[in-house]
Amino acid sequence: MASLRTRRDRSLNVWPGYVDALATLLLAVVFLLTIFVVGQFFLSQEITGRDTVLNRLTRQIADLTDLLALERSNKRAQEESAASLRSTLTATEADRDRLQVLAEGAQGSGSRVEERDKQIAVERANTNRALSQVDLLNEQIAAMRRQLAALEDALSASENRDKESQARIADLGSRLNVALAQRVQELARYRSDFFGRLRQILGNRPDIRIVGDRFVLQSEVLFPVGSASLKAEAGPELDRIATAIIDLARQIPADIPWVLRIDGHTDARPIASSQFPSNWALSAARAIAVVQYMAGKGIPPQRLLAAAFGEFQPLEAGTTEEAYGRNRRIELKLTER
């Protein structure tokens, strides 16, 4: 019987290595996805800003184009008016010459010639004003063309800055990926050390198990049924765990944002008391009790995290007492903040 138990223990001890490797791979994939999302976010912000500038410039160009078209239309109208005035002036001068010839042979026609000369002078003044307006319109059109050229230069400069920004974002993303991958590898190494030390400290106890990347302690080891007050006999177990964590914390570099997450879990049977109105409240109170005990043993409070899952993360879906007992648990996980 002892030989059978020994072989069973050896076969169970093979899985933590595979679990560590799979957890490390999963964390690396999650971090890579996070970096990709962050890069996409900054890239979308940059592209949104560029689109805003382009839309504003496009509206300005459209307004200037409309104004230019209007000015061209006015110029054409003025030129047509000037041409009409020139033709009128030519006809008037011809009439004047004809009248002057007639005036030489006719007496009493001097007043009519003077009146016609006055009309010619008025027409010339109108023609000069029209020509001045045409010159002013030409100057305005030239100014608008200069503005369009300046806008085109600004748009080109904006596109160049956008390309440079995209290049900088890509470079920052690659460097951030490298830095995060290094942090993931370092944290994974210290997590392996953490698991190894806790295995040595806790041994092969049936009430303390390894599930994935977490150490699982049955609630009955630490708490009475339906209570969040630690048992007296829970102290030595938690002391050994706290000592291992403190020793490991001295080795982890300060720039790695690690935390020890304490997860509280209950079984699916509801609880409704004045102290604990729900399983969430009970699991939260138990996780906080373990966190406070660990902080009292010297673990920095900023490295501790209490989480409550209630009955919503069971290890087994059955309704037997054995399944309920496995689901009532406290989990310890060394992870990133």
Side-chain angles (χ1 to χ4, degrees):
M1 187 65 177
S3 176
L4 179 59
R5 186 179 297 109
T6 300
R7 289 195 298 271
R8 184 180 304 167
D9 292 341
R10 290 176 179 173
S11 63
L12 290 176
N13 287 332
V14 175
W15 291 104
Y18 292 104
V19 171
D20 287 343
L22 291 175
T24 301
L25 179 59
L26 180 58
L27 285 173
V29 172
V30 170
F31 275 112
L32 289 176
L33 290 176
T34 304
I35 294 309
F36 178 75
V37 172
V38 170
Q40 290 295 322
F41 173 77
F42 283 112
L43 182 59
S44 65
Q45 292 294 322
E46 188 70 18
I47 292 174
T48 301
R50 185 198 64 180
D51 291 340
T52 302
V53 173
L54 289 177
N55 290 333
R56 185 169 65 254
L57 291 175
T58 301
R59 289 194 299 271
Q60 292 178 354
I61 290 172
D63 294 339
L64 290 174
T65 302
D66 294 337
L67 182 59
L68 180 60
L70 180 61
E71 293 296 337
R72 286 176 176 174
S73 177
N74 291 335
K75 179 182 176 181
R76 286 195 298 269
Q78 293 293 336
E79 289 175 348
E80 291 174 358
S81 177
S84 176
L85 289 174
R86 289 191 184 98
S87 63
T88 302
L89 179 60
T90 302
T92 302
E93 290 176 346
D95 290 339
R96 182 195 62 183
D97 295 339
R98 183 174 56 81
L99 289 173
Q100 286 178 350
V101 173
L102 292 176
E104 292 177 353
Q107 296 179 351
S109 60
S111 60
R112 289 194 299 270
V113 172
E114 292 177 357
E115 183 179 355
R116 179 57 61 90
D117 289 338
K118 292 180 180 178
Q119 291 179 355
I120 291 172
V122 171
E123 293 295 338
R124 285 179 176 175
N126 292 334
T127 301
N128 292 331
R129 284 196 298 270
L131 293 175
S132 299
Q133 292 178 354
V134 170
D135 294 336
L136 179 61
L137 288 175
N138 289 331
E139 292 177 358
Q140 292 177 349
I141 291 171
M144 282 187 288
R145 287 176 178 172
R146 289 193 296 271
Q147 291 179 357
L148 286 174
L151 288 174
E152 290 177 355
D153 294 339
L155 180 60
S156 177
S158 176
E159 291 177 350
N160 293 332
R161 287 195 300 270
D162 180 62
K163 292 178 181 178
E164 293 175 358
S165 299
Q166 291 180 359
R168 286 197 299 270
I169 289 173
D171 181 60
L172 288 174
S174 62
R175 286 190 290 178
L176 185 59
N177 287 337
V178 172
L180 288 177
Q182 291 175 351
R183 288 291 179 268
V184 169
Q185 293 175 356
E186 291 180 5
L187 185 61
R189 177 169 62 85
Y190 291 113
R191 186 184 294 112
S192 298
D193 294 342
F194 170 71
F195 270 78
R197 293 187 184 185
L198 286 190
R199 287 194 197 98
Q200 294 176 358
I201 291 172
L202 301 177
N204 295 323
R205 295 182 47 173
D207 52 0
I208 300 176
R209 308 187 311 279
I210 298 174
V211 177
D213 56 351
R214 304 177 297 278
F215 267 96
V216 179
L217 290 78
Q218 297 306 128
S219 294
E220 287 74 10
V221 177
L222 305 176
F223 302 99
V225 176
S227 173
S229 300
L230 288 169
K231 293 181 179 179
E233 55 269 26
E237 300 293 344
L238 294 178
D239 290 345
R240 288 194 290 270
I241 295 174
T243 300
I245 295 170
I246 292 173
D247 292 340
L248 184 62
R250 296 191 185 101
Q251 303 176 21
I252 301 178
D255 58 345
I256 296 180
W258 68 274
V259 291
L260 180 68
R261 200 179 78 186
I262 312 296
D263 298 341
H265 298 266
T266 67
D267 59 35
R269 291 177 293 189
I271 182 174
S273 63
S274 58
Q275 186 178 5
F276 305 113
S278 66
N279 284 327
W280 256 331
L282 176 59
S283 62
R286 286 179 170 178
I288 292 172
V290 175
V291 165
Q292 291 174 340
Y293 187 90
M294 293 290 188
K297 292 301 177 179
I299 299 177
Q302 64 270 22
R303 299 297 186 184
L304 294 170
L305 171 65
F309 292 89
E311 71 272 24
F312 300 107
Q313 298 291 331
L315 292 178
E316 293 189 11
T319 57
T320 63
E321 287 297 329
E322 181 179 359
Y324 287 147
R326 288 173 61 85
N327 292 333
R328 293 190 302 270
R329 65 198 188 275
I330 295 293
E331 295 182 352
L332 307 177
K333 180 179 180 180
L334 188 67
T335 184
E336 190 173 16
R337 185 178 62 217

